[in-house]
Amino acid sequence: MPDVTGGAKFVKQLPLALRLSSAATFDNFITESNAEPVAYLRAAARGERFETVWLAGASGVGKTHLLQAVCHAATAAGRRAMYVPLAQIDSLQPTVLDGYEQLDVLAIDDLDQAGGRADWEQALFGVTNAFMANRSTLIMAADSLPKDSGLQLGDLRSRATAALVYQIASLSEPGQQRALRQRAVSRGLELDATAARFLLSRVPRDMGAICDWLERLDAVSLAAQKKITVPLIRALLLDAGDAIKSSQD
């Protein structure tokens, strides 16, 4: 995986979990009704926009993809970037943010996970103040809007509320099909429109879950030396259903 930052110091101290997915780029993001936030984030990654940004939206709409795309684009532009996933907050310490003053771009995912954690909220408040003062690029993401994020520190909540907020919309069914087939191509898989529609009609309409199913199909098709077809998808779904049922018995 590529490094999250443009500096050797951070590469040594960051755990592997904070590294970027090579597939999470702007070119691989299906924009649809999210054209405005995507255009802004592209400009922010290049250092052409300086407002603190808050991305809100349900799980699976692409917030993580966009945050990592910002880091990829910033690094390509010669800027120092770092991605921090607070979904993993129990395995991280607020000290992971130490040295943020050396960064040009900081992307913090699942920020609502920090709500009620005094040490994290205090660290995030310091980071937010510094980035606003330095006119550096700070992008935050959460399932909810800032006012509903559960942040307890009043000053931090105030800074979050003052951010430029974009609500990220979920993809339409055709958009999900396009994203699924695009992801398949990136993995070297052949997935025709019929198979894509069949899969999407039978799994949760969450791009994270959809991509998880694609990974499972990749493994099954490789083991069986077969193309991904409707019968193969049906067999995998049946096996998964039986496994879930057995675990509940």
Side-chain angles (χ1 to χ4, degrees):
M1 293 183 182
D3 296 327
V4 195
T5 74
K9 173 184 175 182
F10 285 106
V11 172
K12 292 179 182 178
Q13 75 182 35
L14 288 177
L16 183 62
L18 273 64
R19 303 297 175 90
L20 304 177
S21 164
S22 59
T25 67
F26 285 121
D27 289 342
N28 287 338
F29 188 78
I30 307 300
T31 302
E32 286 197 332
S33 59
N34 295 309
E36 183 179 346
V38 169
Y40 187 95
L41 292 173
R42 281 181 178 272
R46 296 190 298 265
E48 299 169 5
R49 298 288 187 274
F50 301 101
E51 291 90 345
T52 295
V53 178
W54 183 288
L55 304 181
S59 175
V61 298
K63 302 187 301 296
T64 295
H65 188 129
L66 287 172
L67 290 181
Q68 294 198 13
V70 167
C71 291
H72 276 301
T75 300
R79 307 181 75 208
R80 294 160 297 182
M82 176 176 171
Y83 168 76
V84 180
L86 294 189
Q88 302 172 24
I89 197 167
D90 290 334
S91 63
L92 299 174
Q93 296 294 327
T95 52
V96 75
L97 298 173
D98 289 353
Y100 57 78
E101 67 277 0
Q102 299 184 44
L103 294 170
D104 301 303
V105 178
L106 179 60
I108 304 177
D109 208 352
D110 303 293
L111 195 133
D112 37 4
Q113 295 296 316
R117 296 178 182 245
D119 53 348
W120 274 99
E121 291 201 25
Q122 194 61 52
L124 289 165
F125 174 61
V127 167
T128 304
N129 272 346
F131 270 73
M132 286 183 168
N134 296 339
R135 289 174 63 79
S136 300
T137 303
L138 176 60
I139 316 290
M140 301 175 283
D143 289 349
S144 56
L145 296 170
K147 64 183 180 65
D148 302 317
S149 63
L151 297 174
Q152 301 298 308
L153 184 62
D155 288 337
L156 175 59
R157 191 168 58 249
S158 176
R159 298 293 187 277
T161 304
L164 176 62
V165 176
Y166 284 113
Q167 189 96 35
I168 305 302
S170 58
L171 290 175
S172 64
E173 184 173 340
Q176 288 183 330
Q177 288 185 32
R178 182 181 168 197
L180 177 59
R181 297 183 69 187
Q182 181 173 282
R183 181 63 64 91
V185 168
S186 72
R187 297 179 67 92
L189 300 174
E190 184 178 337
L191 182 70
D192 64 28
T194 300
R197 283 195 300 270
F198 183 84
L199 179 61
L200 288 172
S201 69
R202 286 161 174 79
V203 299
R205 291 302 181 85
D206 170 320
M207 284 308 301
I210 291 167
C211 290
D212 286 343
W213 278 105
L214 183 62
E215 289 185 12
R216 296 169 73 175
L217 283 166
D218 187 4
V220 169
S221 67
L222 183 63
Q225 293 294 298
K226 294 181 178 178
K227 291 170 56 177
I228 297 178
T229 59
V230 169
L232 186 68
I233 296 171
R234 183 183 290 112
L236 176 61
L237 294 173
L238 285 172
D239 286 347
D242 288 342
I244 292 169
K245 184 174 182 235
S246 296
S247 69
Q248 294 172 340
D249 288 344

